[in-house]
Amino acid sequence: MAATTEATLPTKHAPNLLTPTSLGQLQLKNRVVMAPLTRGRAAAGTRVPTERMVQYYEQRAANTGMIIIEATTVSEAANGWVQSPGMYTEEHAQGWKLVVDAVHAKGTPIVYQMWHLGRASHTSFHGGAAIVAPSALKIEGDGVYAADNTKQPHEVPRALETSEVEALVADYVNSAKLALAVGFDAVEVHSANGYLLDTFLQSSTNKREDKYGGSLENRMRLLNEILDGLSAVFPADRIGVRFSPNGSYNGMGSEDNIETFTYALQDLAPRGLAYVHIMDGLGFGFHEKCRAFTIEDAREVYPDGKLMCNVGYTRESGDAVVAAGTADAVAYGRPFLGNPDLVYRFAHDLPLAESNPATWFTHDDDGYADYPTYEEEQQTKKAQVDADGSASQAK
């Protein structure tokens, strides 16, 4: 990739976090990763990435070790979030190519997170057709946003037919081919947060009696079949997987999650993946159905593979977990919203700006690509001081 020249950042404030590393074939200038953040700013109707999305990612690419794009659907059937982007048409791919090229121009690798919402969707996104899940169990909660952006009750999904799995896997493979063609460096399979693949993996949501349910091996089968398919497009060391063993989002959590995610990591180990992304922090909601599955637990059962941790890490705790050898990289989500120059601020021990939660999931420009860098903030303040001084002298 063609990289711009950037000044070397000081590392004394995070001597482990700010060192280079590799995740499979991916070369990172430091271990700070921008986590996937759903923002709902794709084009209405088409789900094509927009120019403002290009600007948003380009702003956050400078000095960042790696960017994982927001969860992006692999097919029309996978949709379920208003104005989330897709990756299942040539138009989608060309929209994403502008993002990829802008991020690569900053010398930063970029990863496509592959998404199917499963039972977290709503029939309004599918012309009234039923949403799907491993089993006919609805999410218990206060509702879901429908295609018209109104909040509606969660619906009971239909159980995906065994005969439909082959086509589902093909959707992932075809989407990955589009991503490869426009230059994505890797793909991350979203098997977390109560979306389709997570519900197949966890025992509380998978009550199937076919080869995709019951035993740990069977509950891992769909993920493994998808990974087998993707490995014909991207080599294994350009593929990642995301898990959320502790999360309660979308009604998740199972009493046997320690056993489930221990098995999942051990099962993935021989594949030689680029990394496994573990949402081990509890700030996204903890199900409390068993003890928390920590990044230390993950390292114990996945000793030789690359691990990324996420949720609630600070510069200091991120540096510590890298120093301990427990994680190879740390993903930061919300801090990147209001700090497009997050790594620069980490390196120079500068205060972090707060983002406005009211604009996280809106569909307009406010609170998206309009947060200034620290240097821009200082320039604005200086200009205001100079203007105030000129006005004072004129009196």
Side-chain angles (χ1 to χ4, degrees):
M1 76 183 62
T4 58
T5 302
E6 295 175 354
T8 301
L9 295 175
T11 61
K12 66 178 181 178
H13 297 295
N16 304 287
L17 187 64
L18 296 181
T19 56
T21 193
S22 61
L23 302 175
Q25 290 190 34
L26 308 174
Q27 302 298 315
L28 281 63
K29 51 199 161 193
N30 56 64
R31 298 162 190 260
V32 178
V33 175
M34 180 177 165
L37 294 160
T38 299
R39 303 302 308 275
R41 260 71 172 199
T46 66
R47 299 186 181 274
V48 173
T50 60
E51 182 57 39
R52 61 181 173 175
M53 289 173 63
V54 177
Q55 181 185 8
Y56 169 82
Y57 283 107
E58 182 179 31
Q59 288 170 342
R60 286 155 181 78
N63 297 309
T64 300
M66 185 172 81
I67 286 178
I68 308 172
I69 67 166
E70 61 207 274
T72 298
T73 46
V74 300
S75 67
E76 189 170 0
N79 288 327
W81 193 292
V82 176
Q83 287 184 238
S84 67
M87 179 70 88
Y88 49 89
T89 70
E90 185 61 33
E91 190 179 9
H92 292 144
Q94 291 307 311
W96 277 117
K97 185 179 188 303
L98 300 176
V99 175
V100 169
D101 290 349
V103 171
H104 279 170
K106 302 293 186 181
T108 301
I110 183 168
V111 178
Y112 161 35
Q113 189 188 63
M114 312 185 79
W115 195 25
H116 190 304
L117 278 92
R119 70 174 189 166
S121 185
H122 187 267
T123 54
S124 60
F125 289 98
H126 309 289
I131 56 177
V132 299
S135 304
L137 300 170
K138 75 172 183 176
I139 297 172
E140 298 299 331
D142 64 351
V144 61
Y145 284 97
D148 63 1
N149 219 23
T150 62
K151 202 161 195 180
Q152 301 294 329
H154 285 291
E155 299 170 316
V156 178
R158 69 171 180 85
L160 194 73
E161 297 289 343
T162 306
S163 60
E164 294 177 287
V165 172
E166 183 178 353
L168 173 66
V169 173
D171 285 340
Y172 277 82
V173 173
N174 291 333
S175 184
K177 289 176 180 177
L178 289 172
L180 180 68
V182 296
F184 275 95
D185 298 290
V187 293
E188 176 180 290
V189 180
H190 195 344
S191 184
N193 295 349
Y195 299 116
L196 184 65
L197 301 186
D198 191 23
T199 57
F200 266 86
L201 184 57
Q202 291 201 38
S203 63
S204 64
T205 46
N206 186 340
K207 305 299 181 183
R208 299 176 73 92
E209 297 181 354
D210 64 357
K211 64 181 181 179
Y212 296 99
S215 68
L216 286 164
E217 178 184 5
N218 283 356
R219 286 187 275 125
M220 270 289 289
R221 189 180 304 277
L222 177 56
L223 176 58
N224 274 320
E225 289 182 359
I226 288 171
L227 291 173
D228 288 343
L230 294 179
S231 294
V233 182
F234 283 86
D237 58 2
R238 292 174 63 188
I239 299 173
V241 173
R242 191 188 212 198
F243 291 136
S244 57
N246 303 319
S248 61
Y249 186 66
N250 281 327
M252 295 308 293
S254 305
E255 293 180 356
D256 60 349
N257 268 9
I258 300 298
E259 293 78 13
T260 295
F261 288 95
T262 294
Y263 177 89
L265 285 166
Q266 292 172 333
D267 192 50
L268 292 178
R271 287 186 175 273
L273 298 175
Y275 64 88
V276 178
H277 182 176
I278 306 286
M279 298 180 69
D280 60 304
L282 306 183
F284 204 52
F286 178 36
H287 56 70
E288 298 183 346
K289 294 182 179 180
C290 62
R291 71 170 179 84
F293 187 87
T294 65
I295 195 66
E296 289 78 16
D297 291 325
R299 176 55 76 201
E300 184 175 346
V301 298
Y302 199 71
D304 301 319
K306 297 300 179 77
L307 289 174
M308 183 187 307
C309 57
N310 189 357
V311 185
Y313 282 87
T314 63
R315 181 188 67 183
E316 290 74 19
S317 61
D319 193 68
V321 76
V322 171
T326 311
D328 300 282
V330 183
Y332 294 85
R334 291 176 182 175
F336 264 109
L337 297 179
N339 300 276
D341 57 341
L342 181 67
V343 180
Y344 181 89
R345 294 186 190 231
F346 277 175
H348 292 279
D349 198 29
L350 300 172
L352 301 187
E354 294 293 330
S355 61
N356 179 7
T359 64
W360 287 353
F361 305 118
T362 56
H363 309 296
D364 53 31
D365 292 338
D366 290 344
Y368 187 57
D370 52 358
Y371 287 102
T373 66
Y374 183 80
E375 289 183 330
E376 288 168 344
E377 286 179 352
Q378 300 312 301
Q379 291 168 2
T380 299
K381 289 178 180 178
K382 182 179 184 301
Q384 185 60 53
V385 169
D386 291 344
D388 291 344
S390 297
S392 178
Q393 291 175 5
K395 290 181 180 179

